[in-house]
Structures are given as C-alpha cells and as structure tokens.
Amino acid sequence: MIYIHIPFCKQKCSYCNFHFSTSLNFKDEMISAMKTEIRLRKNELDNKSLKSLYFGGGTPSILSADEITSMIDEVLKYFSFDPDIEVTLEANPDDLDKNFLKQLSKSPVNRLSIGTQSFFNEDLKLMNRAHNASEAEGSIKRAQDFGFENLSIDLIYGSPTSNLEIWKENLNKTIALEVPHISSYALTVEPKTALESWISTGKVASPKEEEQNEEFYYLSDFLKDNGFEHYEVSNFAKPGFYSKHNSAYWKYKEYLGIGPSAHSYNGFDVRSWNVANNQQYIKKLYTGILAKEEEILSQNDQFNEMIMIGLRTIWGVDMGSLNDKFSAQVHEHFQNEIRSKIEEGILVVENNHLKIPEKHWFMADGIASDLFIV
C-alpha cells in the first residue's frame, strides 16, 4: 500500500503538530517532486498490486481533482490496483463543494475521510477549523449525493468547549447522517501548538481526563448499539467498512510513504522517513536524491511496536508470532510481564492472542508500555 502526504493546509488548527505549510507557493514543485519520489522508490514494495492508496496530510482536498488524478496516474505507471482497491482522500468539509465532488466522483477515489471534528461551532472555533457546523453536515450529504458511500469522519471529544450532552448530540447527528466509519480521538495538548499556549496562559481550560474517559466509553457503547464494530481504540466501522489502509498498518504490513515527513516500513525491520521540510524535500528530489533517512529496528524495537499496535485492536497480539519472531530472552520477558496483568484482568488471552478487554481500552497505550523492553 502507498501513503501520499500532501503538506498543505489553508490554516493551522490549534491542536495540530503535523507537518504542513499554509503557503501554496511551491505546490506545483511539490507535486513534481512527489512524482519523482514515486518513480525512484517503485521497487521498494514487493507487491505491485495495491490494495490501498491513501492521500493524507495536511489537507489533500486542497489540491484540485485534476492534480489528485495526476498523482494517481503516476502511481499507476509502476503499480496496478487490486480489484477491491481502496483509494482514500482526506478532505476538509469546506473543500467539498459540488464542483469538486463532481470531478472527484469521476476519479479512482472511492473513499473520503472527512475532517468533521464536531457539528458545533464553539468546538470548531476553539480548534481553529476552516469550516463551520453547517458545512460539516452539508459536506457529508453532498458527498453521498455524488455516490461516495464509503465515508469516514473524524470526531474529537473532550474539548473544553464541549460536554457529555454536546458529545451525545454529535454522535446522534453522525448516526442520522448514516456515516459507516468513524475515527474519534480525545483532544490532546501537543507541544508548540496554539492550544498549548492558550492553556498555559489560562485563556482556555485544560481538557479533563475523567470527562474524556466518560465520553470515550459512551462513544463505544453508543456506536455498538447502532451497529458499529469497535475494531481499534479510536476506530469504529459498520461491517464491511473497516479502513483497509489503517488495518494494514495495525497488522504490520509493508507500506511506502511519499512526500515530506511521510514514513515507510518494509514489514520487518526497516523503517524510513522523509525530511519534514518542504523546501529541502523539493530540492533533493529535483536532483534525483531521496530526501529520507532510515533505521534498522532492533529486536526490542520490533517487539515494542508489535505490542503497542496489536493491543490497540480487536485482533490483539499473536502470541505464536511472537514466539517465532523473537528470542527466548524476549519471550521470557513477555511472559513475566503479562502474568500479573492477566491475573488482574487487564489482559486476556483468546485463541492464543493477547488482548486488552475493551473496558480498559482508554488506557491501552499505558498498559502496552508497561510490557515494553527498555
């Protein structure tokens, strides 16, 4: 599978620390550089039949439909599409007007991931989103009108401008709109963001973990009652609408990341990442040089990643795979660390897979980190 990072946004969200630029001055040069990178790295994926192509960012919908299609055409020069290919475009609601959707519906894009975040203006203002509540709802309806049935929306809970009742209304609106996939995250305070500054100066109240905990479990119960499957800590889907792309990440499949700051993984022991600087990225690719670094993952690194990722999902960690992949010393550490947590009910073993019971999922990352080899 291939991930393409589009490093442009209209404006900076208050909570975001991803790599992007609000200047489009070098958009054409960036697209050209990414096409060059696709060509130079075409042999890094063993499987040339793609099951997923994902445009993330940044804001991929800031590109025109023609620019998106031209990127897809470049990929198709070196790869083929599986008959059930999932081609996802992350999009902001304010970009999804009728003209853009009409053009996009004629392209290979068959899944939209819409950055809704909330259906309430107070939340959206705090987050410094470029859309309003009306656009949040309207964009979903327009996408459906143009034939996009495979839709995902992002929702953020635990905002200082929200509460449980507002959160319930957000979820009721989502169900009414018949969205089949939801990715939902607690509002987090990342370093060097506007939100961090506002909280440190007392302009905005800090998110409360106990309220986020309550809203998370309400979210899980409510969506399950409405036919969704909670298949990863932050992801919910109707049957048949799991994200193929993200599911492949969580199952340790190989992937190729294109664009500044994008990461790649060979499915075993090599991880690489591109420079998180637009100008450096363009300059290097212009001369035919890859703008990436890589590392060889140690046994400990591989073990820790498998634990962290696996315990966030309904599939859990395949204990047989751990036995096959790692040394007796690693296996001994694993058995020693999980014993007490199994006795406490924080971990369970089902069909030789180690899992966190869903009632403890809000603390999944902390539970997983307790098992790490450091």
Side-chain angles (χ1 to χ4, degrees), residues 17 60 72 145 241 327:
N17 67 347
I72 295 172
D145 288 343
F241 286 94
S327 67

Side-chain angles (χ1 to χ4, degrees), residues 97-99 101-102 105 141-148:
D97 59 33
K98 289 184 178 180
N99 183 54
L101 284 165
K102 181 179 180 180
S105 67
K141 292 179 177 178
R142 283 192 299 275
Q144 292 166 331
D145 288 343
F146 280 95
F148 289 98

Side-chain angles (χ1 to χ4, degrees), residues 136 169 179 186 264 270 303 334 347-348 360:
E169 290 186 50
V179 175
S264 302
V270 179
F303 172 82
F334 175 68
L347 293 172
V348 296
H360 297 302

Side-chain angles (χ1 to χ4, degrees), residues 76-232:
L76 285 171
K77 289 180 182 178
Y78 315 107
F79 299 90
S80 62
F81 281 174
D82 183 88
D84 295 321
I85 180 77
E86 180 185 85
V87 183
T88 302
L89 181 81
E90 290 185 354
N92 277 354
D94 47 299
D95 292 327
L96 296 177
D97 59 33
K98 289 184 178 180
N99 183 54
F100 180 74
L101 284 165
K102 181 179 180 180
Q103 295 179 57
L104 199 65
S105 67
K106 299 173 183 176
S107 78
V109 173
N110 55 17
R111 182 176 185 269
L112 295 178
S113 178
I114 305 175
T116 306
Q117 314 309 358
S118 175
F119 294 103
F120 285 84
N121 282 324
E122 274 198 65
D123 293 342
L124 297 172
K125 287 176 183 176
L126 174 74
M127 299 173 198
N128 199 37
R129 298 292 293 170
H131 67 278
N132 59 36
S134 176
E135 289 172 320
E137 181 176 351
S139 65
I140 295 168
K141 292 179 177 178
R142 283 192 299 275
Q144 292 166 331
D145 288 343
F146 280 95
F148 289 98
E149 297 180 357
N150 194 354
L151 292 179
S152 176
I153 68 169
D154 289 349
L155 292 175
I156 290 180
Y157 59 89
S159 165
T161 51
S162 186
N163 56 44
L164 183 58
E165 292 308 309
I166 290 175
W167 183 231
K168 289 179 180 180
E169 290 186 50
N170 265 315
L171 295 175
N172 283 326
K173 175 71 72 174
T174 302
I175 295 301
L177 289 168
E178 300 183 338
V179 175
H181 188 282
I182 298 162
S183 296
S184 190
Y185 309 94
L187 183 68
T188 55
V189 185
E190 301 294 346
K192 300 179 181 178
T193 60
L195 182 62
E196 182 193 45
S197 174
W198 294 342
I199 290 173
S200 66
T201 57
K203 182 178 179 181
V204 172
S206 180
K208 294 180 173 60
E209 185 175 314
E210 63 271 20
E211 292 178 3
Q212 292 185 336
N213 188 321
E214 182 181 17
E215 291 176 11
F216 171 79
Y217 286 111
Y218 180 85
L219 161 75
S220 179
D221 292 341
F222 178 82
L223 290 182
K224 285 189 293 183
D225 287 345
N226 282 277
F228 284 79
E229 296 169 359
H230 193 178
Y231 71 109
E232 192 268 350

Side-chain angles (χ1 to χ4, degrees), residues 244-259:
K244 293 181 181 179
H245 194 85
N246 289 336
S247 295
Y249 285 155
W250 301 324
K251 294 179 179 179
Y252 327 114
K253 304 294 185 183
E254 66 172 352
Y255 56 88
L256 178 62
I258 301 296

